[in-house]
Amino acid sequence: MPGDRPDALPAARRPHRLAGGQPGLLAPGATTDPYRLRLYRLLRTHYPLGYDPGLGTWLLSRYADVALALTDPRFTGYPHDAAPRGRAPVPLGLCRGSLVCVPSAVPYRAAEPAVERTAYVLARRIAGRDRADLVADFCRWLPAGAAAAAAGLSYPDLSALTRPAPHRRPGGGAGDCAGSTALREHALASFLANMLDDPDLPAAATAGAGGGAGSLLGRAWAETLRRDPPVQIVLRRTRTEVTVSGGTLPADAPVACLIGAAGRDPARFGAPDRFDPLRADADPLLVGPAGCPAALLGRLEAEHGLRALLTAMPGIRWADGFRPVAGGLLTRGPRTLLVRPS
């Protein structure tokens, strides 16, 4: 179709080109919405391997190449050799890739009652309003309560909090994986945006008794991480020369894996732009390590968060004229989610 050609893009939205015609990842507008600019599509189709001097890295955008970089031992973490490589945890999805973060570090199931309680407290706080922003009033608070629970507070006192707990920097210890809440805020906001866009989906997803990975709710969570990943770019480094679909990566080269592009690669996923929790071609790779405490807590927050909102506000819907819009390139999620609680 004519609209699929790069030269069919409106002039104001045409990505800035580097030498050889490759679109630059840090071009004006790309950092706001690389999907709307069709930047990822251009890279996958015409420039599956290229060097971006603005980032100082090689770019991989096709699913097959990104999957290789995330799982093959010829790649290691960036910027140093001690970072995870191969099937070890990589900073993907909600995982921060910390070497000291292990599944046993956070008893996430023990934190589940506090996550559930926090979700219901927050939902009841906004249930009586005419209008609310779920990002500011819900998504930023629920991960903070879960992080407090993971730190050992069985029932964190939300009344004592005047604002969400500050985001922690990675690398400070095992607990930092669960204590860093920023990515879980983005993921929760994207999850709620996808669910509330379909009037029938939230009730169907929460009808079951559990929210495990095989349930409709669990599949909707995994589909959100594929279609709208909170982390759009994962950095790796080659340990030796590696051949990919677009050519050969040199040894000791920094590589930017474009997770946002790989998750919507039509060569791997049918109708990749569509949110479809029941898709037959779902892939656990893009969810992140199965035992990562942050990933496990994120799923609990999505499950109990949606249930709490529907219980407190069974008629919840988008505010008049509102449509959710995500933003960001390195990390991404909706900035606001304006709803009418009843």
Side-chain angles (χ1 to χ4, degrees):
M1 296 178 61
D4 291 334
R5 297 198 312 268
D7 58 1
L9 290 174
R13 297 181 182 177
R14 187 175 297 134
H16 173 67
R17 300 304 179 91
L18 303 175
Q22 176 188 322
L25 203 61
L26 299 181
T31 55
T32 302
D33 197 342
Y35 296 105
R36 186 172 63 90
L37 280 172
R38 296 200 286 273
L39 173 63
Y40 287 158
R41 184 191 302 180
L42 289 173
L43 289 171
R44 281 194 311 261
T45 304
H46 300 291
Y47 308 97
L49 177 63
Y51 186 79
D52 191 323
L55 286 179
T57 67
W58 293 83
L59 304 181
L60 295 180
S61 53
R62 291 178 177 173
Y63 173 86
D65 296 333
V66 168
L68 182 74
L70 295 177
T71 59
D72 193 290
R74 290 175 295 175
F75 292 82
T76 185
Y78 183 86
H80 49 80
D81 282 328
R85 61 177 180 270
R87 284 290 178 182
V90 297
L92 175 66
L94 299 177
C95 179
R96 305 304 294 264
S98 172
L99 288 172
V100 296
C101 185
V102 295
S104 61
V106 179
Y108 81 101
R109 279 298 174 189
E112 184 170 8
V115 174
E116 182 178 17
R117 174 182 177 272
T118 302
Y120 277 92
V121 168
L122 293 173
R124 286 194 295 267
R125 281 183 175 182
I126 61 179
R129 303 180 189 176
D130 293 331
R131 177 170 157 141
D133 178 4
L134 293 183
V135 172
D137 300 326
F138 192 83
C139 297
R140 289 177 185 164
W141 289 84
L142 182 53
L153 302 178
S154 298
Y155 294 96
D157 184 7
L158 292 182
S159 64
L161 294 177
T162 57
R163 61 180 182 274
H167 305 156
R168 300 181 185 177
R169 293 183 176 273
D176 279 357
C177 183
S180 298
T181 62
L183 296 181
R184 302 210 310 274
E185 292 172 13
H186 291 322
L188 179 59
S190 294
F191 172 77
L192 293 177
N194 287 329
M195 298 299 283
L196 294 178
D197 255 356
D198 185 334
D200 300 321
L201 187 55
T206 56
S215 70
L216 179 57
L217 194 150
R219 291 171 67 93
W221 170 246
E223 173 71 346
T224 293
L225 295 181
R226 176 202 69 83
R227 181 181 180 272
D228 302 293
V231 175
Q232 294 276 303
I233 300 176
V234 169
L235 295 178
R236 305 291 276 164
R237 186 169 61 79
T238 56
R239 297 166 59 83
T240 183
E241 285 190 355
V242 181
T243 300
V244 293
S245 66
T248 300
L249 285 163
D252 197 35
V255 179
C257 300
L258 306 185
I259 306 300
R264 299 199 191 189
D265 188 343
R268 174 60 180 82
F269 302 101
D273 293 329
R274 185 177 68 213
F275 180 76
D276 181 9
L278 297 179
R279 65 170 55 250
D281 54 5
D283 188 340
L285 175 65
L286 296 181
V287 177
C292 173
L296 297 172
L297 280 173
R299 197 177 74 196
L300 285 181
E301 291 156 8
E303 172 189 348
H304 291 296
L306 182 63
R307 291 183 188 277
L309 290 172
L310 294 180
T311 299
M313 298 164 276
I316 188 172
R317 62 192 185 279
W318 294 132
D320 295 343
F322 175 79
R323 293 294 305 159
V325 176
L329 178 66
L330 299 180
T331 60
R332 184 173 174 82
R335 298 296 186 259
T336 59
L337 293 175
L338 299 181
V339 298
R340 293 180 61 88
S342 60

